[in-house]
Amino acid sequence: MKKIYICLLGLLISGPLLAQDNKTVNISLNKVKLEFMLDERGAPNYAVYFNNSPIVKKSKLGIALNEDVALANNFELLSTDKKQVDETWSPVWGEVSHIRNHYEQATVHLKQHSTNRLMNIVFRVFEDGVGFRYEFPKQPNLKYFIVSDELTEFSLTGDHKTFWIPGDYDTNEYRYTTSGLSEVDAWKVMKAATDIAVRVTPDQYAVQTPLMMKTADGLYINIHEAALINYAAMQLHVDRSTFKLSARLVPDATGNKAYLHAPSHTPWRTIIVSDKAADILASKMILNLNDPSKIKNTSWIKPMKFVGVWWEMQTGKSTWSYANSADTLTKDGKLIPNGTHGANTANVKRYVDFAAKNGISGVLVEGWNTGWEDWFGNWKENVFSFVTPYPDFDIKAITQYAKSKGVKMIMHNETSGSATDYERQMDTAFRFMKKFGYPAVKTGYVGKIIPRGEHHDGAWMIGHYVRVAQKAADYHIMLDAHEPVRPTGLQRTYPNWMASEAGRGNEYNAFSNGNLPEHETIMPFTRLMGGPMDYTPGIFKIKGYIPDNPSRQVHTTLTKQLALYITMYSPLQMAADLPENYAKHMDAFQFIKDVPVDWDDTKIIEAEPGEYITIARKEKGAGNWFAGAITNANSREASIPLSFLDKGKTYLATIYRDADNADWQENPEAYKIEKVKVTSTTTLHLKLAKGGGAAISIKQQ
């Protein structure tokens, strides 16, 4: 880490140095201000302001303990430590090559009179928001303790326009609803979401984070959390009349939320705020609140693009399973092949050939290993072997073939929710990957979780996801987790944990009513705030990919699928469609071949949640730029000033745009490719079709 400037102010403030009888603390940075206070009951409260306007009104803080006195009131403020930090650090990979970490910090040291217990609350005020967490110092009266609930509140100032999904314990894969806070009804959305297999939403008025809101006077507010470790994920209960949000932690099988041993701390609670939507997308506050990398040697971590045997199973062309059921056996007990198994040697080689020919470095294969005949819906613990291929998958021949073509194979480990079984097999599975040269693994957690009674977002599973990342790092394996908890910036601490799904991805266009045109204009403001998403973009056959359901389609144009490589960031990026569908549009596929997955700089050109997003990114270690613009169901003109280009230099821009008659419903695959010379004084004006987009490569001449 390169430290530009750090100023530590070790202030112990007490008595008359603090206003209001030693009960109030203020910290601020530019337009953001935080106020902490103890009320007349000795209960901790806080408030947040932006440009002197209240964002979060006076709101309660505290922790409830299992069968014990809550850390909620009867406190006195012993002292306050303040410090200022201004430094830069370099991520292993990401949207920018350098990140500034600039904040004012205040740590309030509290003592509860009735128990003589100590609790600290650490507040950090950034230029774009606030983070805070609870800390429990080593002390005689609080050693091992169980968190039964968290009492954190966010008292908002009005019925904000909100982009939300239900506060579900087991899935984040809902369509987004846009409504006022007063209209939130999680049960209504949950009951209608029949395309999601496992749904558990006990609270009718709970919503998931990251939660994106816009006030009536044009302020943008995003609430989430950072550094979620050893604790349950936070959801938010909405009081539809007062607009107060209250923390709700996902319970474990016994109903508890966390098991802590002092000294310890909670995750950070984050509030990002700006009067510009683009600033929300540009924020690095969540990353900054995570610990630096625990992996010392990161040279083996390499962002990459890949194709895979995947979409053909989603669309019904082939199957994950080798046989129709686990009971279709020969007399000697062997599975009878169904003839539709996708992960067979010849088919995999076809993908390897396509990847090699087009400079794509990886190939993912799903359904290669035994267990897929009865993997889902049975709540079965021992399902898969992660080292036993089906008879038609010759792993040695495939490995040698891929190596001869300069292509890396990507492993797939679906657990069907059986985390216990995966933990028992992890070392064996990762040794197997190393033996055959697999640098990355895509994990999956479809179904109910085992240990039975646990949830995807409960504390036990939070620990499991981290253990997988740690174990993968021991074997120098990169991780792409599907169906996990939504990210909270841990990719800084474990940079091998490069991507997650944890949201409604492109796959829903294959087996359900799909994703609405505004979906991808909301996701960067919600799901992607915590980290990269494996959204699996790049579908070129927009209609007609489900033979028995001809009306099903992707709700975008073809060029919007290209633009998603810019607007939906991931260092592990899939070209998700079939090789034969790309073969019909190789001129458009050129953008996927060219677009990088690691960046030196990112510019948010324009953005409005639910409406449009335009982003430009600079290729890591090169002078080339790439831009993507997307819109919702409305056609619009994207205005893209190229002032970020080097002055005095001429570039060649290749523009992949919607054709004049393109439309996501009527004519989604119509596009135009144009080349034009540009400089830093150029402004591009591009018409985006309904549900459309544009992608641009800008290369130095």
Side-chain angles (χ1 to χ4, degrees), residues 596 598-601 617-626 646 649 651 698-700:
D598 199 8
W599 307 98
D600 268 337
D601 199 6
R617 304 187 192 273
K618 186 180 183 182
E619 183 177 359
K620 177 68 72 68
N624 303 321
W625 285 80
F626 293 78
D646 290 344
K649 291 185 178 180
Y651 297 75
I698 308 171
K699 298 185 178 181
Q700 294 188 70

Side-chain angles (χ1 to χ4, degrees), residues 256-551:
N256 295 322
K257 315 300 168 50
Y259 302 84
L260 302 181
H261 178 202
S264 58
H265 57 74
T266 69
W268 296 92
R269 284 31 190 128
T270 64
I271 307 166
I272 301 173
V273 58
S274 179
D275 52 6
K276 298 180 180 63
D279 292 347
I280 303 297
L281 298 184
S283 176
K284 295 295 180 284
M285 193 178 86
I286 289 173
L287 272 179
N288 279 326
L289 288 167
N290 278 266
D291 289 339
S293 176
K294 292 183 179 296
I295 303 171
K296 293 182 179 180
N297 173 21
T298 59
S299 61
W300 51 275
I301 300 174
K302 305 289 187 184
M304 62 191 299
K305 284 178 284 189
F306 62 97
V307 296
V309 184
W310 174 76
W311 186 246
E312 64 179 73
M313 283 93 97
Q314 298 286 358
T315 57
K317 179 184 177 184
S318 65
T319 60
W320 282 274
S321 62
Y322 176 74
N324 287 330
S325 78
D327 300 323
T328 55
L329 305 172
T330 63
K331 292 181 179 180
D332 55 354
K334 295 181 179 180
L335 289 170
I336 299 173
N338 55 21
T340 59
H341 182 227
N344 64 76
T345 301
N347 194 35
V348 172
K349 285 184 175 181
R350 187 170 67 93
Y351 281 84
V352 171
D353 288 341
F354 180 82
K357 182 179 179 180
N358 292 285
I360 305 295
S361 57
V363 173
L364 166 76
V365 181
E366 296 197 7
W368 68 275
N369 59 318
T370 59
W372 288 92
E373 282 70 30
D374 64 349
W375 72 285
F376 176 74
N378 300 312
W379 219 3
K380 179 180 176 182
E381 184 165 15
N382 301 308
V383 180
F384 294 104
S385 167
F386 300 109
V387 297
T388 307
Y390 278 123
D392 61 346
F393 185 85
D394 188 336
I395 190 167
K396 291 182 179 179
I398 289 169
T399 299
Q400 292 170 358
Y401 189 77
K403 185 176 181 180
S404 73
K405 299 279 187 174
V407 172
K408 299 285 188 181
M409 299 300 298
I410 298 175
M411 181 54 69
H412 183 237
N413 285 172
E414 174 59 59
T415 69
S416 68
S418 182
T420 48
D421 187 43
Y422 194 51
E423 293 210 4
R424 287 191 291 267
Q425 293 195 57
M426 259 200 297
D427 275 296
T428 303
F430 291 157
R431 283 194 295 267
F432 184 80
M433 292 177 214
K434 295 304 292 183
K435 176 182 177 181
F436 289 100
Y438 285 72
V441 61
K442 173 183 175 180
T443 58
Y445 297 91
V446 177
K448 295 180 180 180
I449 293 297
I450 299 176
R452 295 178 181 91
E454 299 293 345
H455 296 287
H456 285 76
D457 291 2
W460 194 93
M461 283 301 294
I462 300 304
H464 169 79
Y465 304 132
V466 173
R467 288 191 292 274
V468 173
Q470 291 170 332
K471 182 67 70 174
D474 290 343
Y475 287 90
H476 286 193
I477 289 171
M478 298 178 289
L479 175 63
D480 172 12
H482 278 231
E483 297 87 29
V485 68
R486 69 284 186 279
T488 60
L490 285 171
Q491 65 270 22
R492 180 184 181 186
T493 309
Y494 301 102
N496 68 312
W497 191 353
M498 302 182 77
S500 297
E501 184 189 39
R504 190 180 181 91
N506 228 356
E507 67 187 32
Y508 274 83
N509 291 305
F511 56 77
S512 78
N513 54 7
N515 303 332
L516 297 176
E518 68 263 25
H519 184 68
E520 294 91 352
T521 68
I522 297 173
M523 293 286 275
F525 288 97
T526 52
R527 158 64 187 82
L528 275 85
M529 290 298 298
M533 181 177 184
D534 183 15
Y535 189 70
T536 60
I539 303 302
F540 276 17
K541 190 173 180 60
I542 306 297
K543 289 185 173 184
Y545 49 83
I546 307 290
D548 58 353
N549 193 339
S551 65

Side-chain angles (χ1 to χ4, degrees), residues 49 58 100 125 129 193 195 224 241 279 300 322 367 400 469 493 505 527 532 542 620 654 668 681:
Y49 303 84
K58 183 179 176 181
R100 186 186 185 192
V125 174
D195 51 1
H224 190 33
S241 59
D279 292 347
W300 51 275
Y322 176 74
Q400 292 170 358
T493 309
R527 158 64 187 82
I542 306 297
K620 177 68 72 68
T654 304
T681 63

Side-chain angles (χ1 to χ4, degrees), residues 627-643:
I630 63 173
T631 186
N632 57 12
N634 299 317
S635 176
R636 67 179 303 272
E637 183 181 278
S639 179
I640 311 175
L642 304 183
S643 55

Side-chain angles (χ1 to χ4, degrees), residues 61-252:
L61 298 165
I63 299 290
L65 304 182
N66 188 37
E67 299 180 355
D68 206 339
V69 176
L71 297 170
N73 51 47
N74 202 23
F75 282 106
E76 67 170 312
L77 178 58
L78 298 178
S79 63
T80 300
D81 298 330
K82 287 189 175 182
K83 71 177 182 179
Q84 181 188 86
V85 171
D86 194 347
E87 62 188 13
T88 59
W89 59 279
S90 298
V92 176
W93 48 262
E95 299 174 89
V96 293
S97 58
H98 301 286
I99 293 175
R100 186 186 185 192
N101 185 25
H102 182 207
Y103 61 85
E104 299 275 351
Q105 176 174 303
T107 302
V108 296
H109 300 269
L110 305 174
K111 181 179 180 180
Q112 190 174 45
H113 286 294
S114 58
T115 63
N116 285 323
R117 286 173 173 169
L118 305 176
M119 181 176 75
N120 304 333
I121 307 177
V122 182
F123 298 96
R124 289 183 183 175
V125 174
F126 299 78
E127 294 183 23
D128 55 357
V130 170
F132 61 88
R133 73 180 182 187
Y134 304 90
E135 294 186 349
F136 311 98
K138 186 177 181 180
Q139 55 190 293
N141 295 318
L142 187 68
K143 295 183 179 180
Y144 296 92
F145 58 103
I146 298 172
V147 174
S148 62
D149 224 330
E150 186 174 317
L151 308 178
T152 303
E153 295 178 351
F154 307 83
S155 295
L156 303 176
T157 59
D159 191 10
H160 302 334
K161 181 180 182 180
T162 305
F163 305 84
W164 61 274
I165 59 174
D168 196 295
Y169 291 174
D170 282 293
T171 182
N172 304 287
E173 298 185 359
Y174 291 93
R175 282 181 168 184
Y176 279 89
T177 299
T178 303
S179 74
L181 287 166
S182 62
E183 300 173 88
V184 166
D185 187 340
W187 286 357
K188 180 180 179 181
V189 175
M190 182 268 292
K191 290 174 183 177
T194 55
D195 51 1
I196 302 175
V198 179
R199 293 163 287 159
V200 179
T201 310
D203 185 346
Q204 184 175 359
Y205 306 112
V207 295
Q208 187 59 273
T209 71
L211 184 69
M212 185 67 204
M213 295 169 287
K214 184 180 182 181
T215 70
D217 53 356
L219 291 181
Y220 300 86
I221 304 170
N222 188 282
I223 297 177
H224 190 33
E225 60 182 320
L228 174 58
I229 295 178
N230 196 32
Y231 208 78
M234 179 182 72
Q235 300 176 349
L236 298 170
H237 172 82
V238 180
D239 186 317
R240 302 199 304 175
S241 59
T242 66
F243 317 123
K244 179 177 69 178
L245 310 180
S246 304
R248 292 290 188 272
L249 305 180
V250 177
D252 68 4

